[in-house]
Amino acid sequence: MNTIKDIDLNLLVYLDVLLREKNVTRAAAQLNITQPAMSNGLKRLRNLLNDPILVRTSDGMQPTQRALDMQESLRTVLYSVEEMIQPVREFDAPTSDRVFRIMASDYAASTLMPRLLEKLDAQAPNVSLDIMTPSDISFHDVENGKVDLAINRFEQLPQSFHQKILWTDEFSCLIHKDHPLLSNYTLDNYLKAQHVWVSKTGFGVGVGMDPHDVQKLGWVDDALDQIGKRRHIKVFTRNYHVAMYLARQGLVATLPTQAAELYKDDDQLVMKAPPFDIPGLTLTMIWSPLLQHDAGHRWFRQVVSETAAAS
């Protein structure tokens, strides 16, 4: 029977990366070791646990049931060790030149970031932001602490992540002031108009949109589908500002209210409530347990939360 003193604890790190990458070569690159060294580590793990750990299938290498059963406990152990050995340092916001890396959807970047920058200029003028899109990173990058925060609407999250709701939002329509829809603003006339679709961005980017694939169209079209209706989508875009600009060209843009309000002073546009019910959306920020107790990260999360609460 193995005891803790008989085990090379580096093997636990190897196991964690192997279960995430499901590939010896990628796992080796992640840990900056050679592929033969990682293969040897896998062999030692198999001997230690008397289990294959990873088995080759038609879908590539897949973890065994025992490996899957261990994964959550393994992450908890490694997080605890990381937390224990982190140096305790105070964070001095006024003098810090730290770069905080944020994955933000276009919606979050447009609505939250300008207000956040104002707050940072007042409290930490030398702090910088590196804002990335959902397609730039993966959940692994967040989990490993390579990204400080991911801010978006998330349907499912790994249980290990910390999270905080920043706000909930409703939907509004942006319509050109001369659009005939405004003279008789009904659901039927809304459906007859030409629309611009803007994406519900998540991790990764879909390639191409099909206007007939309602399940992938998101909030607005899901709500229409619930009442047996469909709108005429003329343009698909992944950028909220493009959608709002196209509203000035005569398309109807239905989008989250906080985004629509960026154009509330545009004298060419009218903001209206949609002529049907659309469930609200929730903007959430998530972060890795590895960063939970970092002093600078705690400060930054608080600033983001305060900025969102004042919106």
Side-chain angles (χ1 to χ4, degrees):
M1 181 177 179
N2 292 311
T3 62
I4 191 70
K5 66 182 178 61
D6 301 319
I7 300 172
D8 178 358
L9 295 182
N10 283 323
L11 290 177
L12 298 183
V13 178
Y14 288 13
L15 178 59
D16 176 52
V17 178
L18 282 165
L19 292 181
R20 281 190 279 116
E21 296 296 335
K22 300 183 182 68
N23 180 283
V24 171
T25 301
R26 289 199 303 268
Q30 184 86 300
L31 292 177
N32 198 27
I33 62 175
T34 65
Q35 193 269 348
M38 180 56 77
S39 295
N40 182 58
L42 178 56
K43 180 180 179 181
R44 293 169 63 197
L45 281 165
R46 285 168 168 167
N47 291 334
L48 174 68
L49 299 174
N50 193 29
D51 186 87
I53 307 299
L54 291 173
V55 294
R56 193 173 302 281
T57 72
S58 58
D59 294 323
M61 298 290 280
Q62 296 295 325
T64 62
Q65 187 58 50
R66 184 177 183 196
L68 290 173
D69 290 342
M70 294 176 62
Q71 192 168 20
E72 185 173 344
S73 297
L74 176 65
R75 293 303 296 158
T76 300
V77 169
L78 293 178
Y79 286 146
S80 297
V81 173
E82 288 272 3
E83 184 179 309
M84 179 178 64
I85 64 177
Q86 287 295 320
V88 177
R89 293 180 294 185
E90 296 299 321
F91 182 74
D92 185 27
T95 62
S96 175
D97 60 357
R98 182 163 169 175
V99 177
F100 288 98
R101 292 177 173 82
I102 307 172
M103 185 290 286
S105 64
D106 179 54
Y107 161 63
S110 298
T111 55
L112 180 64
M113 292 304 141
R115 306 167 197 174
L116 177 61
L117 282 173
E118 289 181 9
K119 211 167 185 66
L120 290 178
D121 283 344
Q123 297 186 24
N126 297 317
V127 161
S128 301
L129 299 181
D130 181 6
I131 301 174
M132 293 165 281
T133 69
S135 62
D136 292 329
I137 67 167
S138 67
F139 275 132
H140 290 331
D141 294 324
V142 179
E143 186 177 38
N144 294 335
K146 294 180 180 178
V147 178
D148 289 287
L149 293 174
I151 302 176
N152 205 344
R153 175 184 183 267
F154 302 103
E155 294 180 354
Q156 291 184 327
L157 288 171
Q159 291 184 350
S160 59
F161 285 0
H162 292 278
Q163 59 181 289
K164 180 178 177 62
I165 293 175
L166 295 179
W167 69 54
T168 56
D169 202 357
E170 304 303 323
F171 283 80
S172 293
C173 297
L174 283 181
I175 307 168
H176 192 277
K177 65 182 180 64
D178 296 328
H179 198 295
L181 172 60
L182 291 175
S183 64
N184 189 12
Y185 191 62
T186 65
L187 175 58
D188 284 343
N189 287 332
Y190 170 92
L191 297 174
K192 291 174 184 176
Q194 293 186 328
H195 295 260
V196 53
W197 175 97
V198 62
S199 72
K200 56 165 194 175
T201 46
F203 283 95
V205 173
V207 178
M209 294 301 301
D210 180 354
H212 302 292
D213 190 354
V214 174
Q215 290 185 340
K216 293 184 179 180
L217 292 181
W219 307 297
V220 176
D221 299 280
D222 282 345
L224 284 172
D225 188 56
Q226 292 299 312
I227 57 175
K229 304 292 184 180
R230 185 169 295 181
R231 60 179 174 162
H232 177 203
I233 300 172
K234 184 70 173 178
V235 175
F236 292 91
T237 181
R238 278 75 178 165
N239 186 291
Y240 279 86
H241 285 285
V242 170
M244 291 181 275
Y245 178 78
L246 290 176
R248 298 180 98 254
Q249 309 306 305
L251 299 184
V252 176
T254 306
L255 62 170
T257 298
Q258 294 236 26
E261 286 181 341
L262 296 175
Y263 284 67
K264 64 184 178 182
D265 296 326
D266 189 317
D267 60 7
Q268 296 297 302
L269 295 174
V270 175
M271 193 166 81
K272 299 274 288 184
F276 59 102
D277 291 331
I278 308 174
L281 66 87
T282 300
L283 187 70
T284 304
M285 71 175 179
I286 64 172
W287 64 94
S288 167
L290 296 176
L291 297 171
Q292 170 71 2
H293 300 285
D294 177 270
H297 201 270
R298 288 202 308 269
W299 170 84
F300 186 59
R301 295 196 307 265
Q302 183 63 31
V303 172
V304 173
S305 296
E306 291 173 355
T307 303
S311 299

